[in-house]
Amino acid sequence: MSVVATPRGAPGQQTPPPLPLRRAPRPRTDVLLVAADGAAALAGVAAAAVPGPAAAALVAGVLALHAYAGLYRPHSIVAGGVLDEVPALAFRAAVAWCVLAAVLAALRPDLALGSGALAGACAAQLGASCCGRAAVYGVRRRRAARAPRSALVVGPPGAALRVTAALARRPLGGIRPVGVVVPVTAQPPDGAGVPVLRTIEEVQRAIIQNSVRDVLFTDADAADHSVLLSQLGAWGCTLWYVDTRAPVVAAGGRGGELAAFPVRRVQMTDVARPGFVVKRLLDLAVAVTALLLAAPVLLVCAALLRWSDGPGVVFRQERVGRDGHTFTLLKFRTLRPADAHEAATRWSVADDERMSRTGRIMRLTSLDELLNLWNVVRGDMSLVGPRPERPYFVAQFGQAHRGYLARHRMPVGITGLAQVQGLRGDTSIEDRARYDNYYIDHWSPWQDVCVLVRTAASLARPTGS
């Protein structure tokens, strides 16, 4: 087995170059299975001698029913089995043919299908579909056995070793574990049979050296590995959850299996999904309207700050946004820091005696953040999302609080669920991260509207930050 990790600091060993950032491949429609089912539907059409327009409608209906049932989406990282799909294939074939027979009987009685023709067509389609799918799965299993896919196993030592040992006992299963990733605080497991990885650098080296594209998580609580989740998603790895719990508590629902362990794909929140178009449109509509309406207030604030604090009323600061990318945040300057280091590393200035009365009032009323609306228009931020932080504190909080870096799956926002819960200023970072991740995992356009309404209501009782 190839070496996965080299001890850090080994002579002549350099830190691996950073992996290019890319998105993990989305579950795509299986074209080969679509072709097999389409050919099977045509076999049924030929058996029943259905005319052209009706035949085309039947094929389209069958493929649509199968797609709606998820028969063209991967549920596991190993090739499936056709016998498990026979009931679903048979039921949907019967539904499609019964609907076609009813339509023909109503519109074209001369083309009505008898019970014998109907049964023969369903049987022909089912048989052809099973044969086609079996051929596709067989080719994939043989290919996987010849060239198994490298995978990392992540989780507590006990569960990770169980999965690794089970896969090692199935050399023809198509999956080859090349490393076990355990928490830094966990006791190193004995007898793993594969290298034990404990740091991001070691995981990155394993991915490079073994061309790893699949990662198996054995933790039901993925938040324990939120930092690693974010990195693996950015590196383009496909993430899977392997349920190693006892059968009486194992998660149900549709999924696949891996060495008889239930397995399902871990879906990272993706802001490119269609629903987020609504979020961007809402951002633009509200931000542009608010900027136009607030233009007089912005001019008054700028004039007051210029009069009380001197020139330079706009404060620019580097913040961390979605996927760890930095951008320049715009605010009204309420305090002039001593130097750039203080601006980047000082946590709170709410009680700083250097702040003028005008600056203090603007912070208490959040008027200093009105310029954030321009960041929203530019696309740096959203109206609602996790509040952006400076790189210095992102690095600290990412190491100290689990789930903190997972906040960057979503565009950052002017306000958010954590803020309307009172988590501003010198409050718990762990609580903020938990509320932010809950918002991301349960995002909807209506939730954004609710947060905006609650934010507007909270402005009546300003607390500052």
Side-chain angles (χ1 to χ4, degrees), residues 261-300:
F261 290 112
V263 60
R264 66 176 182 268
R265 181 162 173 158
V266 177
Q267 297 290 351
M268 299 291 286
T269 301
D270 186 359
V271 298
R273 63 187 182 185
F276 277 83
V277 175
V278 179
K279 182 178 180 67
R280 181 58 182 157
L281 293 177
L282 177 65
D283 287 343
L284 288 175
V286 175
V288 171
T289 303
L291 277 175
L292 293 176
L293 295 177
V297 179
L298 294 174
L299 292 175
V300 171

mmCIF file of all heavy atoms in Angstrom, residues 261-300:
data_model
loop_
_atom_site.group_PDB
_atom_site.id
_atom_site.type_symbol
_atom_site.label_atom_id
_atom_site.label_comp_id
_atom_site.label_asym_id
_atom_site.label_seq_id
_atom_site.Cartn_x
_atom_site.Cartn_y
_atom_site.Cartn_z
ATOM 1 N N PHE A 261 -23.075 -1.733 5.485
ATOM 2 C CA PHE A 261 -23.336 -0.534 6.278
ATOM 3 C C PHE A 261 -24.240 0.386 5.461
ATOM 4 O O PHE A 261 -23.965 0.623 4.280
ATOM 5 C CB PHE A 261 -22.039 0.219 6.602
ATOM 6 C CG PHE A 261 -21.134 -0.465 7.574
ATOM 7 C CD1 PHE A 261 -19.911 -0.955 7.166
ATOM 8 C CD2 PHE A 261 -21.511 -0.611 8.903
ATOM 9 C CE1 PHE A 261 -19.062 -1.582 8.065
ATOM 10 C CE2 PHE A 261 -20.664 -1.247 9.805
ATOM 11 C CZ PHE A 261 -19.444 -1.731 9.389
ATOM 12 N N PRO A 262 -25.316 0.929 6.050
ATOM 13 C CA PRO A 262 -26.113 1.925 5.322
ATOM 14 C C PRO A 262 -25.253 3.140 4.993
ATOM 15 O O PRO A 262 -24.480 3.615 5.817
ATOM 16 C CB PRO A 262 -27.227 2.282 6.309
ATOM 17 C CG PRO A 262 -27.287 1.125 7.263
ATOM 18 C CD PRO A 262 -25.885 0.613 7.370
ATOM 19 N N VAL A 263 -25.386 3.644 3.785
ATOM 20 C CA VAL A 263 -24.566 4.767 3.347
ATOM 21 C C VAL A 263 -25.433 5.732 2.559
ATOM 22 O O VAL A 263 -26.335 5.329 1.822
ATOM 23 C CB VAL A 263 -23.370 4.287 2.492
ATOM 24 C CG1 VAL A 263 -23.833 3.559 1.245
ATOM 25 C CG2 VAL A 263 -22.468 5.467 2.106
ATOM 26 N N ARG A 264 -25.188 7.002 2.754
ATOM 27 C CA ARG A 264 -25.869 8.034 1.986
ATOM 28 C C ARG A 264 -24.899 9.181 1.745
ATOM 29 O O ARG A 264 -23.948 9.382 2.507
ATOM 30 C CB ARG A 264 -27.123 8.539 2.695
ATOM 31 C CG ARG A 264 -26.876 9.277 3.988
ATOM 32 C CD ARG A 264 -28.161 9.833 4.569
ATOM 33 N NE ARG A 264 -27.947 10.585 5.779
ATOM 34 C CZ ARG A 264 -28.002 10.091 6.999
ATOM 35 N NH1 ARG A 264 -28.265 8.801 7.158
ATOM 36 N NH2 ARG A 264 -27.793 10.856 8.053
ATOM 37 N N ARG A 265 -25.155 9.926 0.702
ATOM 38 C CA ARG A 265 -24.272 11.025 0.345
ATOM 39 C C ARG A 265 -24.519 12.227 1.248
ATOM 40 O O ARG A 265 -25.671 12.536 1.580
ATOM 41 C CB ARG A 265 -24.486 11.426 -1.120
ATOM 42 C CG ARG A 265 -23.582 12.548 -1.576
ATOM 43 C CD ARG A 265 -23.504 12.623 -3.074
ATOM 44 N NE ARG A 265 -22.757 13.796 -3.514
ATOM 45 C CZ ARG A 265 -22.189 13.920 -4.685
ATOM 46 N NH1 ARG A 265 -22.273 12.931 -5.548
ATOM 47 N NH2 ARG A 265 -21.549 15.017 -5.014
ATOM 48 N N VAL A 266 -23.437 12.881 1.654
ATOM 49 C CA VAL A 266 -23.526 14.097 2.447
ATOM 50 C C VAL A 266 -23.648 15.261 1.482
ATOM 51 O O VAL A 266 -22.758 15.503 0.672
ATOM 52 C CB VAL A 266 -22.281 14.276 3.339
ATOM 53 C CG1 VAL A 266 -22.362 15.591 4.100
ATOM 54 C CG2 VAL A 266 -22.156 13.112 4.308
ATOM 55 N N GLN A 267 -24.779 15.951 1.558
ATOM 56 C CA GLN A 267 -25.030 17.067 0.663
ATOM 57 C C GLN A 267 -24.632 18.364 1.349
ATOM 58 O O GLN A 267 -25.251 18.777 2.319
ATOM 59 C CB GLN A 267 -26.522 17.123 0.265
ATOM 60 C CG GLN A 267 -26.979 15.901 -0.517
ATOM 61 C CD GLN A 267 -26.392 15.856 -1.920
ATOM 62 O OE1 GLN A 267 -25.778 16.806 -2.367
ATOM 63 N NE2 GLN A 267 -26.586 14.758 -2.604
ATOM 64 N N MET A 268 -23.572 18.988 0.838
ATOM 65 C CA MET A 268 -23.181 20.293 1.345
ATOM 66 C C MET A 268 -24.107 21.348 0.754
ATOM 67 O O MET A 268 -24.535 21.253 -0.402
ATOM 68 C CB MET A 268 -21.739 20.609 0.950
ATOM 69 C CG MET A 268 -20.730 19.621 1.501
ATOM 70 S SD MET A 268 -20.549 19.744 3.294
ATOM 71 C CE MET A 268 -19.627 21.273 3.411
ATOM 72 N N THR A 269 -24.427 22.347 1.576
ATOM 73 C CA THR A 269 -25.274 23.424 1.075
ATOM 74 C C THR A 269 -24.590 24.122 -0.088
ATOM 75 O O THR A 269 -23.450 24.547 0.010
ATOM 76 C CB THR A 269 -25.546 24.438 2.195
ATOM 77 O OG1 THR A 269 -26.189 23.761 3.264
ATOM 78 C CG2 THR A 269 -26.430 25.561 1.701
ATOM 79 N N ASP A 270 -25.292 24.244 -1.192
ATOM 80 C CA ASP A 270 -24.723 24.821 -2.404
ATOM 81 C C ASP A 270 -25.518 26.056 -2.788
ATOM 82 O O ASP A 270 -26.699 25.962 -3.100
ATOM 83 C CB ASP A 270 -24.771 23.789 -3.528
ATOM 84 C CG ASP A 270 -24.064 24.262 -4.793
ATOM 85 O OD1 ASP A 270 -23.549 25.399 -4.789
ATOM 86 O OD2 ASP A 270 -24.038 23.492 -5.762
ATOM 87 N N VAL A 271 -24.866 27.209 -2.772
ATOM 88 C CA VAL A 271 -25.586 28.440 -3.069
ATOM 89 C C VAL A 271 -25.892 28.599 -4.547
ATOM 90 O O VAL A 271 -26.473 29.587 -4.952
ATOM 91 C CB VAL A 271 -24.802 29.672 -2.574
ATOM 92 C CG1 VAL A 271 -24.625 29.638 -1.088
ATOM 93 C CG2 VAL A 271 -23.456 29.767 -3.275
ATOM 94 N N ALA A 272 -25.501 27.649 -5.377
ATOM 95 C CA ALA A 272 -25.841 27.738 -6.795
ATOM 96 C C ALA A 272 -27.186 27.079 -7.099
ATOM 97 O O ALA A 272 -27.630 27.101 -8.225
ATOM 98 C CB ALA A 272 -24.748 27.068 -7.640
ATOM 99 N N ARG A 273 -27.818 26.476 -6.066
ATOM 100 C CA ARG A 273 -29.085 25.812 -6.340
ATOM 101 C C ARG A 273 -30.140 26.860 -6.706
ATOM 102 O O ARG A 273 -30.030 28.034 -6.347
ATOM 103 C CB ARG A 273 -29.525 24.989 -5.131
ATOM 104 C CG ARG A 273 -29.794 25.790 -3.878
ATOM 105 C CD ARG A 273 -30.051 24.863 -2.703
ATOM 106 N NE ARG A 273 -30.357 25.606 -1.489
ATOM 107 C CZ ARG A 273 -30.516 25.035 -0.315
ATOM 108 N NH1 ARG A 273 -30.385 23.744 -0.187
ATOM 109 N NH2 ARG A 273 -30.796 25.760 0.747
ATOM 110 N N PRO A 274 -31.188 26.437 -7.446
ATOM 111 C CA PRO A 274 -32.134 27.421 -7.995
ATOM 112 C C PRO A 274 -32.761 28.343 -6.960
ATOM 113 O O PRO A 274 -32.993 29.520 -7.241
ATOM 114 C CB PRO A 274 -33.189 26.536 -8.666
ATOM 115 C CG PRO A 274 -32.465 25.274 -8.997
ATOM 116 C CD PRO A 274 -31.470 25.079 -7.891
ATOM 117 N N GLY A 275 -33.037 27.848 -5.749
ATOM 118 C CA GLY A 275 -33.682 28.680 -4.752
ATOM 119 C C GLY A 275 -32.882 29.910 -4.379
ATOM 120 O O GLY A 275 -33.440 30.931 -3.958
ATOM 121 N N PHE A 276 -31.563 29.859 -4.555
ATOM 122 C CA PHE A 276 -30.735 30.986 -4.158
ATOM 123 C C PHE A 276 -30.800 32.133 -5.163
ATOM 124 O O PHE A 276 -30.314 33.226 -4.884
ATOM 125 C CB PHE A 276 -29.291 30.538 -3.949
ATOM 126 C CG PHE A 276 -29.061 29.943 -2.600
ATOM 127 C CD1 PHE A 276 -29.361 28.620 -2.357
ATOM 128 C CD2 PHE A 276 -28.581 30.713 -1.563
ATOM 129 C CE1 PHE A 276 -29.168 28.069 -1.122
ATOM 130 C CE2 PHE A 276 -28.385 30.168 -0.315
ATOM 131 C CZ PHE A 276 -28.683 28.845 -0.085
ATOM 132 N N VAL A 277 -31.363 31.879 -6.334
ATOM 133 C CA VAL A 277 -31.626 32.990 -7.244
ATOM 134 C C VAL A 277 -32.600 33.954 -6.578
ATOM 135 O O VAL A 277 -32.471 35.182 -6.687
ATOM 136 C CB VAL A 277 -32.184 32.465 -8.576
ATOM 137 C CG1 VAL A 277 -32.572 33.617 -9.484
ATOM 138 C CG2 VAL A 277 -31.159 31.563 -9.259
ATOM 139 N N VAL A 278 -33.582 33.399 -5.862
ATOM 140 C CA VAL A 278 -34.537 34.232 -5.139
ATOM 141 C C VAL A 278 -33.825 35.051 -4.074
ATOM 142 O O VAL A 278 -34.124 36.235 -3.866
ATOM 143 C CB VAL A 278 -35.641 33.357 -4.511
ATOM 144 C CG1 VAL A 278 -36.630 34.213 -3.728
ATOM 145 C CG2 VAL A 278 -36.353 32.547 -5.584
ATOM 146 N N LYS A 279 -32.855 34.436 -3.404
ATOM 147 C CA LYS A 279 -32.107 35.149 -2.361
ATOM 148 C C LYS A 279 -31.360 36.339 -2.946
ATOM 149 O O LYS A 279 -31.380 37.441 -2.389
ATOM 150 C CB LYS A 279 -31.126 34.188 -1.684
ATOM 151 C CG LYS A 279 -30.306 34.799 -0.542
ATOM 152 C CD LYS A 279 -29.413 33.753 0.075
ATOM 153 C CE LYS A 279 -28.590 34.320 1.220
ATOM 154 N NZ LYS A 279 -29.412 34.713 2.377
ATOM 155 N N ARG A 280 -30.707 36.124 -4.091
ATOM 156 C CA ARG A 280 -29.961 37.217 -4.707
ATOM 157 C C ARG A 280 -30.892 38.322 -5.192
ATOM 158 O O ARG A 280 -30.584 39.514 -5.057
ATOM 159 C CB ARG A 280 -29.131 36.661 -5.875
ATOM 160 C CG ARG A 280 -28.282 37.710 -6.580
ATOM 161 C CD ARG A 280 -27.325 38.383 -5.623
ATOM 162 N NE ARG A 280 -26.534 39.434 -6.274
ATOM 163 C CZ ARG A 280 -25.967 40.441 -5.640
ATOM 164 N NH1 ARG A 280 -26.097 40.563 -4.324
ATOM 165 N NH2 ARG A 280 -25.262 41.334 -6.303
ATOM 166 N N LEU A 281 -32.022 37.945 -5.775
ATOM 167 C CA LEU A 281 -32.981 38.958 -6.224
ATOM 168 C C LEU A 281 -33.533 39.760 -5.048
ATOM 169 O O LEU A 281 -33.704 40.978 -5.131
ATOM 170 C CB LEU A 281 -34.121 38.285 -6.996
ATOM 171 C CG LEU A 281 -33.744 37.657 -8.335
ATOM 172 C CD1 LEU A 281 -34.949 36.960 -8.948
ATOM 173 C CD2 LEU A 281 -33.191 38.716 -9.295
ATOM 174 N N LEU A 282 -33.804 39.067 -3.926
ATOM 175 C CA LEU A 282 -34.269 39.762 -2.724
ATOM 176 C C LEU A 282 -33.202 40.722 -2.217
ATOM 177 O O LEU A 282 -33.491 41.860 -1.827
ATOM 178 C CB LEU A 282 -34.638 38.744 -1.647
ATOM 179 C CG LEU A 282 -35.070 39.308 -0.294
ATOM 180 C CD1 LEU A 282 -36.374 40.082 -0.431
ATOM 181 C CD2 LEU A 282 -35.227 38.171 0.730
ATOM 182 N N ASP A 283 -31.942 40.275 -2.230
ATOM 183 C CA ASP A 283 -30.842 41.135 -1.800
ATOM 184 C C ASP A 283 -30.784 42.414 -2.633
ATOM 185 O O ASP A 283 -30.686 43.529 -2.093
ATOM 186 C CB ASP A 283 -29.516 40.387 -1.916
ATOM 187 C CG ASP A 283 -29.343 39.328 -0.849
ATOM 188 O OD1 ASP A 283 -30.073 39.382 0.151
ATOM 189 O OD2 ASP A 283 -28.464 38.460 -1.026
ATOM 190 N N LEU A 284 -30.823 42.242 -3.949
ATOM 191 C CA LEU A 284 -30.711 43.410 -4.819
ATOM 192 C C LEU A 284 -31.893 44.360 -4.648
ATOM 193 O O LEU A 284 -31.719 45.580 -4.572
ATOM 194 C CB LEU A 284 -30.601 42.962 -6.277
ATOM 195 C CG LEU A 284 -29.269 42.321 -6.680
ATOM 196 C CD1 LEU A 284 -29.340 41.804 -8.107
ATOM 197 C CD2 LEU A 284 -28.124 43.329 -6.536
ATOM 198 N N ALA A 285 -33.098 43.783 -4.595
ATOM 199 C CA ALA A 285 -34.291 44.634 -4.491
ATOM 200 C C ALA A 285 -34.270 45.444 -3.202
ATOM 201 O O ALA A 285 -34.493 46.668 -3.210
ATOM 202 C CB ALA A 285 -35.549 43.775 -4.567
ATOM 203 N N VAL A 286 -33.977 44.795 -2.083
ATOM 204 C CA VAL A 286 -34.000 45.481 -0.800
ATOM 205 C C VAL A 286 -32.808 46.427 -0.666
ATOM 206 O O VAL A 286 -32.953 47.573 -0.207
ATOM 207 C CB VAL A 286 -34.023 44.466 0.357
ATOM 208 C CG1 VAL A 286 -33.931 45.178 1.703
ATOM 209 C CG2 VAL A 286 -35.280 43.618 0.295
ATOM 210 N N ALA A 287 -31.613 45.969 -1.064
ATOM 211 C CA ALA A 287 -30.416 46.797 -0.879
ATOM 212 C C ALA A 287 -30.472 48.058 -1.735
ATOM 213 O O ALA A 287 -30.148 49.157 -1.253
ATOM 214 C CB ALA A 287 -29.169 45.984 -1.209
ATOM 215 N N VAL A 288 -30.855 47.933 -3.001
ATOM 216 C CA VAL A 288 -30.918 49.113 -3.867
ATOM 217 C C VAL A 288 -31.973 50.086 -3.363
ATOM 218 O O VAL A 288 -31.749 51.305 -3.284
ATOM 219 C CB VAL A 288 -31.212 48.694 -5.321
ATOM 220 C CG1 VAL A 288 -31.490 49.914 -6.186
ATOM 221 C CG2 VAL A 288 -30.030 47.899 -5.886
ATOM 222 N N THR A 289 -33.149 49.563 -2.985
ATOM 223 C CA THR A 289 -34.207 50.430 -2.466
ATOM 224 C C THR A 289 -33.768 51.121 -1.173
ATOM 225 O O THR A 289 -33.994 52.329 -0.991
ATOM 226 C CB THR A 289 -35.480 49.612 -2.210
ATOM 227 O OG1 THR A 289 -35.877 48.954 -3.418
ATOM 228 C CG2 THR A 289 -36.598 50.504 -1.720
ATOM 229 N N ALA A 290 -33.126 50.352 -0.285
ATOM 230 C CA ALA A 290 -32.683 50.933 0.985
ATOM 231 C C ALA A 290 -31.618 51.996 0.777
ATOM 232 O O ALA A 290 -31.609 53.025 1.464
ATOM 233 C CB ALA A 290 -32.161 49.827 1.898
ATOM 234 N N LEU A 291 -30.705 51.761 -0.168
ATOM 235 C CA LEU A 291 -29.677 52.772 -0.438
ATOM 236 C C LEU A 291 -30.286 54.070 -0.957
ATOM 237 O O LEU A 291 -29.874 55.170 -0.557
ATOM 238 C CB LEU A 291 -28.669 52.229 -1.456
ATOM 239 C CG LEU A 291 -27.542 51.354 -0.906
ATOM 240 C CD1 LEU A 291 -26.702 50.780 -2.044
ATOM 241 C CD2 LEU A 291 -26.655 52.150 0.047
ATOM 242 N N LEU A 292 -31.279 53.951 -1.830
ATOM 243 C CA LEU A 292 -31.922 55.153 -2.359
ATOM 244 C C LEU A 292 -32.671 55.906 -1.265
ATOM 245 O O LEU A 292 -32.588 57.132 -1.158
ATOM 246 C CB LEU A 292 -32.877 54.777 -3.492
ATOM 247 C CG LEU A 292 -32.211 54.217 -4.761
ATOM 248 C CD1 LEU A 292 -33.267 53.789 -5.771
ATOM 249 C CD2 LEU A 292 -31.275 55.245 -5.377
ATOM 250 N N LEU A 293 -33.402 55.147 -0.428
ATOM 251 C CA LEU A 293 -34.162 55.797 0.636
ATOM 252 C C LEU A 293 -33.261 56.367 1.720
ATOM 253 O O LEU A 293 -33.591 57.385 2.346
ATOM 254 C CB LEU A 293 -35.155 54.802 1.252
ATOM 255 C CG LEU A 293 -36.268 54.289 0.320
ATOM 256 C CD1 LEU A 293 -37.129 53.249 1.042
ATOM 257 C CD2 LEU A 293 -37.138 55.454 -0.151
ATOM 258 N N ALA A 294 -32.131 55.695 1.950
ATOM 259 C CA ALA A 294 -31.241 56.121 3.040
ATOM 260 C C ALA A 294 -30.197 57.125 2.581
ATOM 261 O O ALA A 294 -29.344 57.535 3.391
ATOM 262 C CB ALA A 294 -30.538 54.893 3.646
ATOM 263 N N ALA A 295 -30.225 57.529 1.316
ATOM 264 C CA ALA A 295 -29.207 58.469 0.823
ATOM 265 C C ALA A 295 -29.109 59.735 1.669
ATOM 266 O O ALA A 295 -28.003 60.175 2.028
ATOM 267 C CB ALA A 295 -29.490 58.810 -0.650
ATOM 268 N N PRO A 296 -30.231 60.373 2.050
ATOM 269 C CA PRO A 296 -30.113 61.561 2.925
ATOM 270 C C PRO A 296 -29.475 61.237 4.271
ATOM 271 O O PRO A 296 -28.668 62.024 4.805
ATOM 272 C CB PRO A 296 -31.562 62.026 3.085
ATOM 273 C CG PRO A 296 -32.284 61.459 1.897
ATOM 274 C CD PRO A 296 -31.638 60.153 1.633
ATOM 275 N N VAL A 297 -29.818 60.084 4.841
ATOM 276 C CA VAL A 297 -29.232 59.696 6.136
ATOM 277 C C VAL A 297 -27.734 59.473 5.980
ATOM 278 O O VAL A 297 -26.934 59.860 6.856
ATOM 279 C CB VAL A 297 -29.928 58.423 6.664
ATOM 280 C CG1 VAL A 297 -29.308 57.983 7.991
ATOM 281 C CG2 VAL A 297 -31.416 58.645 6.821
ATOM 282 N N LEU A 298 -27.321 58.848 4.875
ATOM 283 C CA LEU A 298 -25.897 58.616 4.640
ATOM 284 C C LEU A 298 -25.144 59.941 4.549
ATOM 285 O O LEU A 298 -24.042 60.082 5.103
ATOM 286 C CB LEU A 298 -25.711 57.804 3.359
ATOM 287 C CG LEU A 298 -26.230 56.363 3.369
ATOM 288 C CD1 LEU A 298 -26.104 55.743 1.984
ATOM 289 C CD2 LEU A 298 -25.450 55.523 4.375
ATOM 290 N N LEU A 299 -25.726 60.916 3.867
ATOM 291 C CA LEU A 299 -25.068 62.218 3.742
ATOM 292 C C LEU A 299 -24.951 62.912 5.096
ATOM 293 O O LEU A 299 -23.912 63.509 5.415
ATOM 294 C CB LEU A 299 -25.841 63.093 2.761
ATOM 295 C CG LEU A 299 -25.805 62.643 1.287
ATOM 296 C CD1 LEU A 299 -26.713 63.540 0.449
ATOM 297 C CD2 LEU A 299 -24.375 62.679 0.767
ATOM 298 N N VAL A 300 -26.004 62.837 5.909
ATOM 299 C CA VAL A 300 -25.965 63.456 7.240
ATOM 300 C C VAL A 300 -24.907 62.776 8.105
ATOM 301 O O VAL A 300 -24.125 63.447 8.802
ATOM 302 C CB VAL A 300 -27.351 63.389 7.896
ATOM 303 C CG1 VAL A 300 -27.265 63.820 9.359
ATOM 304 C CG2 VAL A 300 -28.351 64.255 7.147
#
